[in-house]
Amino acid sequence: MTVTIVPNTGKSSAGEVALRAAQILRSHGAAVLMDQALQPAFNIAGVQYLPFDDCLHKTDVILTIGGDGTILHVANLTLNYHKPILGINLGRCGFLATCEVDELEAKLSAVAEGQYNLDPRMLLYVQVLGDDDWEGHALNDVVVTKGRLQQAIDFSVYCDDILVEHFRGDGVIVATPTGSTAYSLAAGGPILDSQTKGIVVTPLCPHSLATPPMVFAQERKLNICVGQVADDEVFISCDGDSGYPLRAGATAMVRLSDQNVQLITFSRADQFQAIDQKLRSRQ
């Protein structure tokens, strides 16, 4: 078993946790790799430092240290390598990260011995139609939202080229089942079982009482069309990355990606345990 550790360098405890993770993995016979660019900051005995692409080619598992944002970032970086990801949670919620710091010994020893489950998660593919053809993938969500404008914006949502919703508001969230517990939930969207093959469309602050969130089958093609706005006042983003500006009348096409991301879990109920232990604890 070969494991590549990817720490979030912005987390103060990431170095200490990376050291402990490497020690546990190596004590159970696993080889540990890290990006050679991290060696000055994370110089851990017994770890092999290689160019990041070489790490991804050689590894069996990617171990992220941070929060859900770290997992989302690494998932997009490593999409073409199809390697499963396990997250160690240093964040506030860590819905996707299925290993807490106090579980390191038990769960990393299980990983080193190959005793884990693979949970494939669907991705969304988005393309801005037109001259630019900007595109991206999202494990959580695709968000179209206004910038500095104070007034609401007109949005139209088409499903397989049929208009299903038109409203004025602040934006639109198109979420996967994985992302249904993130921004979409905060905006009033439903929680979907991560194994459900559906797409959630949640309006942001619609100026109407009759604009509910909608759930579409994964086979559907959705088009999000923007009304008349000033340049650089509406943006589209994937998984919280920096936004791409949309022009007036622009259309973003969203559909199921032909790729997926495999997350490492240890129980088929991990998502619902997270709902119980992490969401309910905020009340």
Side-chain angles (χ1 to χ4, degrees):
M1 173 66 68
T2 301
V3 179
T4 293
I5 297 178
V6 184
N8 182 335
T9 57
K11 300 286 186 180
S12 59
S13 60
E16 177 185 347
V17 175
L19 171 61
R20 181 66 182 136
Q23 290 172 337
I24 294 170
L25 289 166
R26 294 187 66 245
S27 70
H28 287 84
V32 180
L33 309 178
M34 287 182 72
D35 183 356
Q36 64 183 17
L38 296 175
Q39 189 169 8
F42 297 86
N43 193 8
I44 300 172
V47 171
Q48 185 178 6
Y49 292 88
L50 300 171
F52 193 50
D53 283 348
D54 290 350
C55 292
L56 297 179
H57 278 294
K58 292 175 179 290
T59 199
D60 299 301
V61 167
I62 299 170
L63 181 68
T64 66
I65 300 175
D68 283 355
T70 308
I71 293 177
L72 293 171
H73 179 68
V74 170
N76 276 283
L77 282 180
T78 63
L79 203 54
N80 294 327
Y81 294 90
H82 310 291
K83 301 299 175 73
I85 299 172
L86 171 63
I88 297 175
N89 182 36
L90 301 183
R92 287 169 293 182
C93 185
F95 236 81
L96 303 180
T98 53
C99 180
E100 300 297 322
V101 172
D102 60 3
E103 300 175 310
L104 284 176
E105 182 67 47
K107 291 190 172 179
L108 294 189
S109 61
V111 168
E113 295 164 10
Q115 298 175 356
Y116 55 83
N117 304 315
L118 292 180
D119 183 5
R121 299 293 182 93
M122 62 175 278
L123 293 167
L124 295 175
Y125 169 77
V126 58
Q127 181 182 27
V128 176
L129 305 180
D131 296 338
D132 296 335
D133 283 343
W134 178 91
E135 62 182 8
H137 288 83
L139 174 58
N140 257 3
D141 47 39
V142 175
V143 178
V144 181
T145 187
K146 67 180 186 178
R148 298 182 301 275
L149 282 177
Q150 296 301 311
Q151 69 268 29
I153 300 167
D154 286 305
F155 294 95
S156 298
V157 180
Y158 292 80
C159 176
D160 293 343
D161 299 323
I162 303 297
L163 178 66
V164 295
E165 190 62 80
H166 176 82
F167 68 95
R168 288 181 63 79
D170 289 354
V172 185
I173 304 167
V174 185
T176 65
T178 299
S180 71
T181 53
Y183 193 9
S184 177
L185 177 64
I191 294 176
L192 268 61
D193 185 329
S194 63
Q195 298 305 304
T196 301
K197 305 304 181 185
I199 302 172
V200 184
V201 176
T202 305
L204 277 172
C205 300
H207 289 206
S208 167
L209 295 176
T211 313
M214 294 174 285
V215 180
F216 297 90
Q218 66 171 1
E219 295 84 7
R220 302 296 193 181
K221 181 189 72 175
L222 302 174
N223 283 349
I224 311 297
C225 301
V226 179
Q228 293 301 310
V229 293
D231 289 342
D232 297 339
E233 287 293 357
V234 177
F235 299 86
I236 186 168
S237 62
C238 292
D239 289 340
D241 280 352
S242 56
Y244 176 81
L246 296 178
R247 297 189 297 269
T251 296
M253 183 273 292
V254 185
R255 61 168 173 79
L256 178 71
S257 172
D258 56 6
Q259 302 191 67
N260 65 23
V261 169
Q262 295 189 94
L263 300 181
I264 288 179
T265 63
F266 301 91
S267 164
R268 291 180 61 83
D270 275 347
Q271 180 196 24
F272 301 105
Q273 289 172 350
I275 290 171
D276 182 52
Q277 297 169 9
K278 297 179 179 180
L279 278 186
R280 296 188 195 281
S281 65
R282 294 181 176 183
Q283 296 177 355

